[in-house]
Amino acid sequence: MLRVGLTGGIGSGKSMVAARLAQCGAWIIDSDRIAREVLKPGTAALRALAEEFSEEILAEDGALDRAALAARVFHDADARGRLNALVHPLVAARSAELIATAPPEAIVVQDIPLLVEAGMTAGFPLVIVVHADAAVRLRRLVEQRGMVSSAAAARIAAQATDEQRRTAADVWLDNSGCREDTLVAVERLWAQRLVPFESNLRAGRRAPRSAVPVLAPPDDSWPQQAQRVITRVEKVAAGRALRIDHIGSTAVPGLDAKDVLDMQVVVADLTVAQRLAADLSAVGLVTLAGRLDHARDGTTRDKGYATNADPARDVNCHVRPLDSPFWRETLLLRDWLRTHPAGVREYTELKHRLAAQQWDSIDAYATAKTPFLRSALDRAEQWALRSGWFPA
């Protein structure tokens, strides 16, 4: 099973995207619909809401007057907090019940309008954000929903910003233009990413990768992408992780790299490391057994290791015990490169020379870099002594 979070600002077209995903075969969990269900007339939740906000939020037939409730809480952050504290746990519980009835191979898409605002993105292996420019959304709300322009603008302004949603988005679906173009993009997303992601995750299988080294120029979004992964890993590793870091070449500004995000999690011991690596299936990573760290003296150390089931985002997550020397050396080499542009140039030139050669496997390419990495680490150790470097 793959769980996907779907969100977007009011008027963005999120419901249209959800409907097309349902047609493709997704198991849709609609949070707005569930909220209406748990607040039906006669429910304890609706009675509690009326006690909290007065009987004025009820219509003559005893149903919730949503417009009246909105008027009570829209401009009052404290009131919105009390409302959310009452309703969100009920919606979450009912959502969990519905998810439990989904088949093992389901792609469960949870349509949650305030996914970003509620800080829930880390709970999903993949987040889809449906976007439309603010002017487009305003026009849709006025023309299609009959809202007054000022009220529509206020609703838009009260939600997350585009930048906040971009930070959360693994998939950014721009629905500012042609509806049909968006629907085609949804179908492509389903076939090329969601279906194989779910299949890989259920089978415990890493998504296929290039058999040859393909270097990309530095991408300013790599740290932000890495932070999304880290936030998810933190949720699973709570109470076990001593630290989590973005490591490897994509963590060094200005360094050409394979488009792979490397993460390092430090835990108390090897048993915890291996259990945590297995638990990361909850955030879309699958564990691979038998992965070892190779020391400069030729010895090896066990670790936990998880990697991506998602075919569109390569991730390596190294889960190392505290007594392993590798976690410190990894951070030291990263920080030395970050502060030594000449080392970055040297490493970049080596990578390109090696990438131009023929290799039987990516592992062989990685092994060919070992002499440089050992030399760089020796220089980094000397720099650490001079500078007083310590893993921050």
Side-chain angles (χ1 to χ4, degrees):
M1 180 186 294
L2 173 66
R3 291 176 57 244
V4 177
L6 174 66
T7 194
I10 185 171
S12 63
K14 176 179 56 62
S15 297
M16 177 190 75
V17 170
R20 181 51 56 95
L21 285 169
Q23 291 170 355
C24 290
W27 189 278
I28 303 294
I29 307 293
D30 187 331
S31 294
D32 272 352
R33 184 175 299 173
I34 293 172
R36 290 183 174 85
E37 176 186 330
V38 300
L39 293 173
K40 289 190 298 186
T43 60
L46 185 57
R47 289 195 297 274
L49 214 62
E51 290 173 3
E52 181 69 34
F53 296 103
S54 86
E55 298 286 332
E56 294 178 3
I57 65 166
L58 300 179
E60 291 183 2
D61 61 0
L64 176 64
D65 185 335
R66 294 183 176 275
L69 178 61
R72 290 291 302 272
V73 305
F74 186 75
H75 296 290
D76 186 336
D78 179 67
R80 288 198 303 275
R82 299 198 308 274
L83 172 64
N84 292 337
L86 283 168
V87 177
H88 284 184
L90 299 173
V91 173
R94 179 56 179 154
S95 297
E97 291 175 357
L98 294 173
I99 293 169
T101 66
E105 71 279 7
I107 297 173
V108 177
V109 176
Q110 291 184 242
D111 180 347
I112 306 176
L114 300 181
L115 181 69
V116 174
E117 292 86 340
M120 299 169 61
T121 58
F124 296 90
L126 192 82
V127 169
I128 302 170
V129 172
V130 184
H131 168 75
D133 294 336
V136 173
R137 294 163 59 197
L138 181 63
R139 187 180 69 248
R140 289 173 181 168
L141 294 175
V142 171
E143 295 178 355
Q144 299 174 16
R145 302 195 191 182
M147 294 180 67
V148 175
S149 179
S150 58
R155 289 286 298 276
I156 291 171
Q159 294 185 339
T161 65
D162 288 346
E163 183 58 33
Q164 288 171 325
R165 291 196 183 96
R166 277 195 182 276
T167 298
D170 299 290
V171 178
W172 184 262
L173 284 175
D174 195 332
N175 186 42
S176 300
C178 175
R179 176 179 185 274
E180 290 306 316
D181 288 346
T182 301
L183 295 178
V184 169
V186 172
E187 292 165 359
R188 187 184 308 116
L189 171 66
W190 175 265
Q192 296 181 5
R193 189 166 186 178
L194 300 187
V195 170
F197 193 169
E198 188 284 322
S199 177
N200 291 336
L201 188 58
R202 182 161 36 93
R205 177 177 59 230
R206 182 172 77 173
R209 293 189 182 179
S210 172
V212 298
V214 179
L215 297 179
D219 186 337
D220 290 341
S221 75
W222 279 335
Q224 185 180 87
Q225 293 182 55
Q227 187 56 51
R228 282 202 296 274
V229 179
I230 288 173
T231 302
R232 289 171 174 137
V233 172
E234 284 175 337
K235 186 176 179 66
V236 178
R240 292 182 283 181
L242 303 177
R243 63 181 299 148
I244 305 176
D245 296 278
H246 179 200
I247 60 170
S249 293
T250 58
V252 178
L255 180 60
D256 291 5
K258 299 192 303 297
D259 188 12
V260 180
L261 302 177
D262 281 279
M263 307 294 143
Q264 176 174 267
V265 186
V266 181
V267 296
D269 56 46
L270 182 60
T271 299
V272 175
Q274 293 173 336
R275 288 176 178 169
L276 175 57
D279 291 345
L280 291 176
S281 61
V283 290
L285 302 179
V286 295
T287 186
L288 294 184
R291 305 291 289 200
L292 301 173
D293 284 325
H294 296 268
R296 285 178 281 178
D297 63 3
T299 60
T300 59
R301 289 290 298 264
D302 288 326
K303 63 180 175 181
Y305 181 81
T307 187
N308 57 292
D310 182 356
R313 171 29 71 205
D314 290 348
V315 173
N316 299 323
C317 188
H318 311 262
V319 190
R320 293 181 166 118
L322 184 61
D323 65 358
S324 170
F326 291 96
W327 71 264
R328 175 193 170 277
E329 291 180 351
T330 297
L331 295 175
L332 172 59
L333 182 60
R334 180 200 66 184
D335 291 354
W336 180 79
L337 285 168
R338 284 177 171 178
T339 55
H340 290 75
V344 170
R345 289 193 296 271
E346 183 182 354
Y347 195 15
T348 299
E349 291 169 2
L350 172 66
K351 286 185 174 196
H352 281 282
R353 286 199 306 273
L354 294 177
Q357 301 176 24
Q358 297 295 319
W359 299 98
D360 294 333
S361 68
I362 287 292
D363 287 342
Y365 162 78
T367 299
K369 297 188 296 181
T370 300
F372 166 81
L373 294 175
R374 288 178 177 171
S375 170
L377 192 53
D378 287 340
R379 286 177 277 171
E381 292 285 9
Q382 296 171 18
W383 168 73
L385 287 173
R386 294 192 307 270
S387 65
W389 176 88
F390 188 81

